[in-house]
mmCIF file of all heavy atoms in Angstrom:
data_model
loop_
_atom_site.group_PDB
_atom_site.id
_atom_site.type_symbol
_atom_site.label_atom_id
_atom_site.label_comp_id
_atom_site.label_asym_id
_atom_site.label_seq_id
_atom_site.Cartn_x
_atom_site.Cartn_y
_atom_site.Cartn_z
ATOM 1 N N ASP G 274 20.291 23.173 14.182
ATOM 2 C CA ASP G 274 19.616 23.322 15.460
ATOM 3 C C ASP G 274 19.885 22.207 16.471
ATOM 4 O O ASP G 274 20.029 21.058 16.119
ATOM 5 C CB ASP G 274 18.098 23.382 15.219
ATOM 6 C CG ASP G 274 17.367 23.715 16.541
ATOM 7 O OD1 ASP G 274 17.762 24.553 17.302
ATOM 8 O OD2 ASP G 274 16.316 23.011 16.736
ATOM 9 N N LEU G 275 20.048 22.643 17.700
ATOM 10 C CA LEU G 275 20.154 21.663 18.869
ATOM 11 C C LEU G 275 18.964 21.866 19.692
ATOM 12 O O LEU G 275 18.339 22.975 19.759
ATOM 13 C CB LEU G 275 21.474 21.849 19.621
ATOM 14 C CG LEU G 275 22.740 21.281 18.993
ATOM 15 C CD1 LEU G 275 23.909 21.749 19.688
ATOM 16 C CD2 LEU G 275 22.676 19.791 19.098
ATOM 17 N N PRO G 276 18.546 20.847 20.463
ATOM 18 C CA PRO G 276 17.417 21.039 21.372
ATOM 19 C C PRO G 276 17.599 22.190 22.297
ATOM 20 O O PRO G 276 18.734 22.463 22.758
ATOM 21 C CB PRO G 276 17.318 19.713 22.118
ATOM 22 C CG PRO G 276 17.966 18.723 21.255
ATOM 23 C CD PRO G 276 19.021 19.435 20.513
ATOM 24 N N GLY G 277 16.520 22.930 22.639
ATOM 25 C CA GLY G 277 16.624 24.112 23.491
ATOM 26 C C GLY G 277 16.574 25.373 22.707
ATOM 27 O O GLY G 277 16.725 25.264 21.440
ATOM 28 N N THR G 278 16.347 26.471 23.365
ATOM 29 C CA THR G 278 16.293 27.682 22.616
ATOM 30 C C THR G 278 17.563 28.537 22.698
ATOM 31 O O THR G 278 17.673 29.591 22.075
ATOM 32 C CB THR G 278 15.115 28.566 23.217
ATOM 33 O OG1 THR G 278 15.451 28.723 24.609
ATOM 34 C CG2 THR G 278 13.767 27.939 23.001
ATOM 35 N N TRP G 279 18.586 28.054 23.421
ATOM 36 C CA TRP G 279 19.846 28.864 23.547
ATOM 37 C C TRP G 279 20.514 29.114 22.313
ATOM 38 O O TRP G 279 21.256 30.121 22.165
ATOM 39 C CB TRP G 279 20.749 28.110 24.547
ATOM 40 C CG TRP G 279 21.064 26.692 24.058
ATOM 41 C CD1 TRP G 279 20.304 25.590 24.304
ATOM 42 C CD2 TRP G 279 22.102 26.280 23.190
ATOM 43 N NE1 TRP G 279 20.889 24.478 23.740
ATOM 44 C CE2 TRP G 279 21.958 24.854 23.038
ATOM 45 C CE3 TRP G 279 23.161 26.952 22.600
ATOM 46 C CZ2 TRP G 279 22.879 24.197 22.223
ATOM 47 C CZ3 TRP G 279 24.041 26.187 21.788
ATOM 48 C CH2 TRP G 279 23.907 24.810 21.625
ATOM 49 N N ASP G 280 20.346 28.249 21.281
ATOM 50 C CA ASP G 280 21.178 28.438 20.022
ATOM 51 C C ASP G 280 20.280 29.109 18.970
ATOM 52 O O ASP G 280 20.822 29.398 17.861
ATOM 53 C CB ASP G 280 21.701 27.084 19.536
ATOM 54 C CG ASP G 280 20.532 26.200 19.179
ATOM 55 O OD1 ASP G 280 19.466 26.297 19.808
ATOM 56 O OD2 ASP G 280 20.737 25.298 18.334
ATOM 57 N N ASN G 281 19.005 29.414 19.233
ATOM 58 C CA ASN G 281 18.209 30.005 18.158
ATOM 59 C C ASN G 281 18.751 31.401 17.716
ATOM 60 O O ASN G 281 19.080 32.196 18.486
ATOM 61 C CB ASN G 281 16.778 30.147 18.599
ATOM 62 C CG ASN G 281 16.120 28.795 18.877
ATOM 63 O OD1 ASN G 281 16.797 27.794 18.803
ATOM 64 N ND2 ASN G 281 14.892 28.812 19.335
ATOM 65 N N ALA G 282 18.734 31.593 16.424
ATOM 66 C CA ALA G 282 19.192 32.883 15.845
ATOM 67 C C ALA G 282 18.561 33.113 14.537
ATOM 68 O O ALA G 282 18.528 32.198 13.718
ATOM 69 C CB ALA G 282 20.652 32.915 15.835
ATOM 70 N N PHE G 283 18.083 34.282 14.320
ATOM 71 C CA PHE G 283 17.412 34.629 13.009
ATOM 72 C C PHE G 283 17.463 36.135 12.799
ATOM 73 O O PHE G 283 17.273 36.839 13.745
ATOM 74 C CB PHE G 283 16.011 34.067 13.022
ATOM 75 C CG PHE G 283 15.306 34.233 11.716
ATOM 76 C CD1 PHE G 283 15.783 33.528 10.599
ATOM 77 C CD2 PHE G 283 14.193 35.067 11.530
ATOM 78 C CE1 PHE G 283 15.131 33.706 9.368
ATOM 79 C CE2 PHE G 283 13.582 35.168 10.313
ATOM 80 C CZ PHE G 283 14.088 34.493 9.217
ATOM 81 N N TRP G 284 17.640 36.616 11.583
ATOM 82 C CA TRP G 284 17.615 38.005 11.271
ATOM 83 C C TRP G 284 16.161 38.424 11.159
ATOM 84 O O TRP G 284 15.475 37.998 10.302
ATOM 85 C CB TRP G 284 18.432 38.311 9.977
ATOM 86 C CG TRP G 284 19.867 38.113 10.147
ATOM 87 C CD1 TRP G 284 20.518 36.994 9.593
ATOM 88 C CD2 TRP G 284 20.807 38.807 10.878
ATOM 89 N NE1 TRP G 284 21.888 37.147 9.992
ATOM 90 C CE2 TRP G 284 22.062 38.207 10.757
ATOM 91 C CE3 TRP G 284 20.664 40.042 11.694
ATOM 92 C CZ2 TRP G 284 23.203 38.725 11.334
ATOM 93 C CZ3 TRP G 284 21.807 40.536 12.242
ATOM 94 C CH2 TRP G 284 23.005 39.851 12.121
ATOM 95 N N TYR G 285 15.758 39.347 12.113
ATOM 96 C CA TYR G 285 14.364 39.666 12.007
ATOM 97 C C TYR G 285 14.325 41.212 12.175
ATOM 98 O O TYR G 285 14.755 41.791 13.178
ATOM 99 C CB TYR G 285 13.589 39.056 13.248
ATOM 100 C CG TYR G 285 12.146 39.448 13.307
ATOM 101 C CD1 TYR G 285 11.185 38.765 12.513
ATOM 102 C CD2 TYR G 285 11.683 40.466 14.205
ATOM 103 C CE1 TYR G 285 9.855 39.171 12.529
ATOM 104 C CE2 TYR G 285 10.372 40.752 14.294
ATOM 105 C CZ TYR G 285 9.458 40.095 13.440
ATOM 106 O OH TYR G 285 8.133 40.428 13.510
ATOM 107 N N GLY G 286 13.913 41.871 11.089
ATOM 108 C CA GLY G 286 13.889 43.330 11.129
ATOM 109 C C GLY G 286 15.274 44.028 11.356
ATOM 110 O O GLY G 286 15.339 44.924 12.048
ATOM 111 N N GLY G 287 16.272 43.383 10.836
ATOM 112 C CA GLY G 287 17.645 43.951 10.910
ATOM 113 C C GLY G 287 18.374 43.606 12.130
ATOM 114 O O GLY G 287 19.489 43.945 12.317
ATOM 115 N N SER G 288 17.792 42.837 13.107
ATOM 116 C CA SER G 288 18.541 42.429 14.281
ATOM 117 C C SER G 288 18.465 40.910 14.488
ATOM 118 O O SER G 288 17.488 40.316 14.044
ATOM 119 C CB SER G 288 18.107 43.212 15.484
ATOM 120 O OG SER G 288 16.657 43.140 15.593
ATOM 121 N N LEU G 289 19.440 40.435 15.129
ATOM 122 C CA LEU G 289 19.468 38.963 15.367
ATOM 123 C C LEU G 289 18.692 38.666 16.610
ATOM 124 O O LEU G 289 18.964 39.090 17.694
ATOM 125 C CB LEU G 289 20.940 38.612 15.509
ATOM 126 C CG LEU G 289 21.239 37.119 15.342
ATOM 127 C CD1 LEU G 289 20.971 36.685 13.968
ATOM 128 C CD2 LEU G 289 22.663 36.812 15.764
ATOM 129 N N ILE G 290 17.595 37.852 16.491
ATOM 130 C CA ILE G 290 16.773 37.516 17.581
ATOM 131 C C ILE G 290 16.813 36.011 17.857
ATOM 132 O O ILE G 290 17.175 35.257 16.998
ATOM 133 C CB ILE G 290 15.271 37.964 17.328
ATOM 134 C CG1 ILE G 290 14.715 37.231 16.098
ATOM 135 C CG2 ILE G 290 15.205 39.457 17.175
ATOM 136 C CD1 ILE G 290 13.255 37.343 16.029
ATOM 137 N N SER G 291 16.399 35.630 19.067
ATOM 138 C CA SER G 291 16.416 34.202 19.418
ATOM 139 C C SER G 291 15.000 33.709 19.691
ATOM 140 O O SER G 291 14.731 32.542 19.882
ATOM 141 C CB SER G 291 17.262 33.930 20.659
ATOM 142 O OG SER G 291 16.560 34.438 21.747
#
Side-chain angles (χ1 to χ4, degrees):
Chain G
D274 183 43
L275 277 168
T278 55
W279 55 272
D280 62 332
N281 296 2
F283 186 64
W284 292 107
Y285 181 79
S288 50
L289 198 65
I290 61 164
S291 72

